[in-house]
Amino acid sequence: PISAGELLCLGSSVAFSGLFYYLYRRKARLAARIQEAPKLRVDDDLPALVSAAEGSCLSYVALEGIVLPAKAALSSHHHEDMQGVIQKLLLKEHRLVWNSLAWSW
């Protein structure tokens, strides 16, 4: 005979396994989209390509070319010979709603 505690442990284990598998598959699909991103060159045709895209935005593209940093290049902590730059930083603010019960935004 199986006790109620064992059934509870089994049920929670199956539920957590399902949740973590769902999260894993979601992140795997996102990683696959990033891996399949089109590779574009940084040249004079890029602004026209961006403005022709829907919403003047290209999602998940890999840019290839030479760029110069505005101040200093970013160095990788894991690979000392790799450097990179941030070309544009996009900040998206979500609407804040006051929670009167918790007295917070």
Side-chain angles (χ1 to χ4, degrees):
I2 298 175
S3 68
E6 291 173 338
L7 282 176
L8 179 67
C9 289
L10 179 65
S12 63
S13 176
V14 169
F16 279 121
S17 294
L19 172 69
F20 291 137
Y21 182 72
Y22 167 75
L23 293 174
Y24 164 76
R25 292 297 303 155
R26 201 168 104 191
K27 294 298 179 182
R29 280 192 300 265
L30 179 64
R33 281 186 59 196
I34 291 172
Q35 290 293 330
E36 296 169 355
K39 293 176 176 59
L40 303 175
R41 303 255 335 132
V42 177
D43 55 10
D44 296 333
D45 298 334
L46 187 61
L49 187 66
V50 171
S51 62
E54 181 181 336
S56 296
C57 179
L58 297 172
S59 60
Y60 299 121
V61 296
L63 293 177
E64 296 177 342
I66 298 173
V67 295
L68 299 174
K71 295 181 182 175
L74 301 172
S75 297
S76 172
H77 296 289
H78 305 288
H79 303 283
E80 295 168 357
D81 57 334
M82 288 187 160
Q83 291 185 337
V85 295
I86 297 175
Q87 190 169 9
K88 184 177 180 181
L89 179 65
L90 177 67
L91 177 65
K92 183 177 180 180
E93 293 186 23
H94 298 281
R95 187 179 130 196
L96 296 176
V97 178
W98 176 256
N99 184 348
S100 62
L101 184 63
W103 286 68
S104 66
W105 287 98

